[in-house]
Amino acid sequence: MKKGITLMVRVYVEGDDDPAHDFTQVGTQVTTQMFQTAFKSFTAPYTFQVLKITPVEGGDDDSSDDSDAAQATPLLQYTPPAGAQPGGIPSPQAGPTTGPKRNPGSQG
């Protein structure tokens, strides 16, 4: 029997950026890149779809170091190696990396 579940995942992205630049765009792009990269190396008999990546209202923490996100203990974490440079950021319009698109509400 096929089963499915919709899960909400909260991701906190932190990095250096020009003070005047909107970090929402960068955060969304690097999160998309992270999922695309993870999907390429993940092997299991499950299908995954990222249905939506949207910023949390008031979720930018550039104005305060004592935010909830900065103090939360992460469930999973990645820290880039020293000297790592940004690169390979996909466009926000990038589609699924593998397999056909399936409507989560459909039978099958």
Side-chain angles (χ1 to χ4, degrees):
M1 174 209 269
K2 262 201 201 282
K3 292 185 173 187
I5 185 169
T6 300
L7 302 170
M8 184 186 312
V9 176
R10 179 170 271 182
V11 177
Y12 177 73
V13 179
E14 182 176 75
D16 292 326
D17 196 15
D18 188 4
H21 187 255
D22 181 9
F23 197 67
T24 300
Q25 179 183 10
V26 173
T28 301
Q29 289 176 341
V30 298
T31 300
T32 300
Q33 178 187 12
M34 184 269 309
F35 278 116
Q36 288 176 335
T37 302
F39 285 174
K40 289 177 185 176
S41 63
F42 184 76
T43 57
Y46 302 102
T47 300
F48 286 86
Q49 297 178 22
V50 175
L51 302 175
K52 187 183 208 182
I53 298 176
T54 57
V56 174
E57 185 67 33
D60 58 345
D61 293 323
D62 57 0
S63 60
S64 172
D65 287 337
D66 61 353
S67 68
D68 291 341
Q71 293 180 7
T73 302
L75 180 63
L76 300 170
Q77 181 173 328
Y78 169 79
T79 303
Q85 298 294 316
I89 298 174
S91 69
Q93 296 83 13
T97 58
T98 59
K101 191 169 186 175
R102 184 174 169 267
N103 183 343
S106 68
Q107 299 282 331

